[in-house]
Amino acid sequence: MNAFTIALDSIWAHRLRSALTALGIVIGVFAVVTLTSLGSGVKSYVTGQFSSFGATLITISPSLPSAHDKIAHHPFGGGPKQNFGNIPSTLTLGDATAINALHSPAIAHVAPVVLLPITVSTSSVGSSGISATGTTDQYFSAEQLTFLHGTFDDHGVVLGASAAHTLFPRVKNPIGQTLYLGRSALTVTGVLSSASGLLSKAANASVFVPITTGLQIAHLHTISEIIVQASGNSQVNTADNALTTVLSRRHPSGDFSVTKDTQILTTINNTLATITTFLSGLAAISLLVGGIGIMNIMLVTVTERFREIGIRKALGARDSDILLQFLTESVLLSLLGGTIGIVLSAIASGVIGQLAGFSAGLTITAVALAVGFSLFVGMVFGVIPALRAARLMPAEALRTE
Amino acid sequence: MNGDVGIPLIQTHQLQRNYGRGDATVAGLAGIDLAIHRGEMVALMGPSGSGKSTLMQILGLLDRPTSGNYRLSGSDISTLSGSQQAELRGRRIGFVFQGIHLLPRLSAIQNVELPMVYARFSASERKALARQSLARVGLSHLANRRPTQLSGGQAQRIAIARAVAPGPDLLLADEPTGALDRASGRAVLALFQHLNADLGLTIVLVTHDSFVGRHAQRIVELEDGRIVADHLVEDRIPPEQLMEVDV
């Protein structure tokens, strides 16, 4: 018959009321834990997408001349330096060749890329809405794209998985078919496997031609970007330094910018962390409301049990015994709610993770946070009712019948 | 506590207890001087509102006097801390109430053990004393019953077992037969008389019923918070044979 068993007994004696009281904490803990778990699930999904081939890609794109000086003092706080179509490109195939000529061990692949402003069609006059990209075979290695049929050679055209389906819906293997890029007829020499990665999906809806062919067909002299793959995660900065040195020599005005996947990853992770924290904070408010619910019910319980408190005090219970009894009850109620909340959250995270296609398991941090928080809530909101019970004069308590 | 016979177990001096504040103040007790010695069985009598229950609550440390002095076994109660008073209630004073006041979710023996739980008796000592006490009231066979499964008379005797189990010096009873039928009431009163005679337990009995009062050795009469009479009982009802079988 210690405080613990008395509290358990009292919770059990008023099962419905205890359940309803704990419900506030259940919802609060459920919300906090689920959001935290989903947040970390999304985060590890995104990180996984990047690091399935390591966050090793570096993208060189055109930029305004002397970007470092001018953009830094831009009145709008320095916008993105990437080319959104309004910055004329000065990057050339020569730049890609120069980077290649470094033979740096830190660089695994260098792929010049040009987006071709021409129509793609199976007839000489139509248009399919599919985009054409000029590049080299290194592009497929860097982007981790694999071939379903054929290869990429110096004359033909390679189709992305969904592009192949759109252009040749009834052909099982379109190799050897003719495809018109603008007015030029090219032979299909390869088809890519469907890419599922977050970052390589764009390749599905595109067709690829050798970059020299592409530049000729579209009458272009400059390219859209250069994709460089570092030879490992630890080599990204070395590769960045090496290629920046070369490009700075070739482009003294600084009309290019370098973006590393690691930077993007960091930005995404920071954003996700902010959103998760914000949502968890909102959810924590429901825990607060749950705590007030516990205080409310405990105050009612104390009033209802004046007589019991009076008897216990007459039989020699100290103020501290009564305080402990009621505090234990509110903490147990709160912990009970917390436990149910965690269980529900585990189920919900599992289901949502299945539906959304990423794992959103409970994190130890989230569970520890929830248990700690419900303990805290039980204590803080249990103290006032428990003190009220403890300070009751026995005569006063016994008078209420 | 078995000290000098000359020191009364209970001694009060000008004990007052007021309710309310300011102009609305009502005097519950208006200056009580009372001494009760060890081994006495005293009935506090008076009409309702006379202050007899208030006096009993102050004597039992369930309430504090507004002014005046109360010495229990010679020590001034006002100098004791709350937890010291709680300890005295648990070990030295036993209570029996009109409303019986067993905790409904505990079995009879668990109820009897409760004051010894709060007085930090060891589990084995607690169990032994509780069994002994149940045997003394003749209800050993009901040890595992819940209060709801007991008759009023049985429940009150369990409450008496609870009050005397830790071996107190003083038993305070507030209208202990008020909720009982006549036969159960008489059994309870006989039990009190035996506890008083056999164990030398000091008993203070609050009642408005002169028949109940005549079971005591001495009657203190109160009216409007004052003692109006204090005399020995000449026609005392002698202890009956204890009833072994329940009514």
Side-chain angles (χ1 to χ4, degrees), chain B residues 109-150:
Chain B
I109 192 156
Q110 282 175 322
N111 263 289
V112 176
E113 283 182 51
L114 197 55
M116 296 181 282
V117 172
Y118 286 125
R120 312 283 195 268
F121 282 51
S122 74
S124 55
E125 194 178 359
R126 219 159 67 203
K127 290 250 167 356
L129 286 172
R131 285 211 190 86
Q132 191 186 323
S133 196
L134 280 174
R136 188 175 291 131
V137 302
L139 295 180
S140 296
H141 58 292
L142 300 180
N144 296 316
R145 290 264 186 100
R146 290 293 173 104
T148 46
Q149 300 167 315
L150 300 170

Side-chain angles (χ1 to χ4, degrees), chain A residues 51-400:
Chain A
S51 56
S52 59
F53 41 95
T56 50
L57 290 189
I58 301 170
T59 307
I60 301 151
S61 39
S63 165
L64 289 172
S66 304
H68 307 290
D69 303 327
K70 286 186 182 168
I71 303 283
H73 301 289
H74 195 273
F76 298 111
K81 293 191 287 177
Q82 281 77 14
N83 190 352
F84 287 124
N86 53 354
I87 299 172
S89 174
T90 56
L91 292 173
T92 62
L93 264 182
D95 293 324
T97 314
I99 295 169
N100 234 338
L102 280 173
H103 296 297
S104 163
I107 294 173
H109 299 289
V110 179
V113 175
V114 59
L115 302 172
L116 301 169
I118 50 173
T119 56
V120 175
S121 175
T122 49
S123 68
S124 60
V125 287
S127 169
S128 63
I130 283 176
S131 65
T133 306
T135 187
T136 65
D137 58 349
Q138 303 231 343
Y139 176 81
F140 302 100
S141 311
E143 293 282 2
Q144 297 238 313
L145 297 166
T146 54
F147 285 83
L148 186 65
H149 303 294
T151 53
F152 184 75
D153 73 14
D154 289 347
H155 308 290
V157 56
V158 163
L159 310 178
S162 62
H165 191 72
T166 310
L167 294 165
F168 304 103
R170 278 176 216 75
V171 184
K172 204 173 180 191
N173 184 351
I175 285 180
Q177 301 274 352
T178 303
L179 192 65
Y180 289 87
L181 271 73
R183 286 162 181 252
S184 312
L186 291 163
T187 307
V188 175
T189 60
V191 179
L192 296 173
S193 303
S194 179
S196 60
L198 193 65
L199 305 167
S200 44
K201 268 181 182 166
N204 286 342
S206 191
V207 300
F208 300 89
V209 295
I211 191 157
T212 44
T213 314
L215 290 172
Q216 256 171 33
I217 294 171
H219 307 294
L220 286 173
H221 301 286
T222 57
I223 62 175
S224 310
E225 58 183 17
I226 302 168
I227 290 172
V228 175
Q229 187 185 26
S231 47
N233 275 341
S234 55
Q235 302 296 319
V236 171
N237 286 333
T238 318
D240 178 20
N241 289 338
L243 66 87
T244 304
T245 311
V246 175
L247 286 177
S248 299
R249 212 178 301 132
R250 293 175 60 89
H251 295 266
S253 67
D255 54 356
F256 67 93
S257 73
V258 177
T259 312
K260 290 172 278 186
D261 272 7
T262 47
Q263 292 169 330
I264 301 174
L265 187 59
T266 309
T267 308
I268 293 177
N269 279 347
N270 287 345
T271 311
L272 281 175
T274 309
I275 294 173
T276 306
T277 309
F278 175 70
L279 288 178
S280 304
L282 282 182
I285 293 175
S286 62
L287 262 182
L288 192 74
V289 175
I292 293 171
I294 286 197
M295 176 155 76
N296 212 344
I297 291 299
M298 288 307 295
L299 281 173
V300 172
T301 304
V302 167
T303 312
E304 249 186 21
R305 284 155 65 183
F306 267 11
R307 209 172 73 129
E308 178 199 326
I309 297 165
I311 297 170
R312 289 185 184 276
K313 286 199 145 187
L315 297 181
R318 295 163 184 77
D319 291 5
S320 57
D321 292 321
I322 302 292
L323 182 80
L324 190 68
Q325 179 188 335
F326 282 90
L327 208 53
T328 308
E329 194 170 323
S330 62
V331 167
L332 266 182
L333 260 183
S334 184
L335 272 183
L336 183 80
T339 311
I340 297 174
I342 289 171
V343 171
L344 287 184
S345 175
I347 297 169
S349 303
V351 170
I352 294 173
Q354 287 268 302
L355 294 179
F358 57 88
S359 72
L362 288 188
T363 60
I364 300 283
T365 326
V367 172
L369 203 75
V371 171
F373 218 101
S374 28
L375 261 176
F376 177 76
V377 164
M379 297 252 239
V380 166
F381 292 100
V383 158
I384 292 175
L387 273 179
R388 209 171 152 219
R391 285 181 181 158
L392 212 55
M393 243 352 246
E396 194 186 329
L398 287 165
R399 214 172 286 136
T400 0

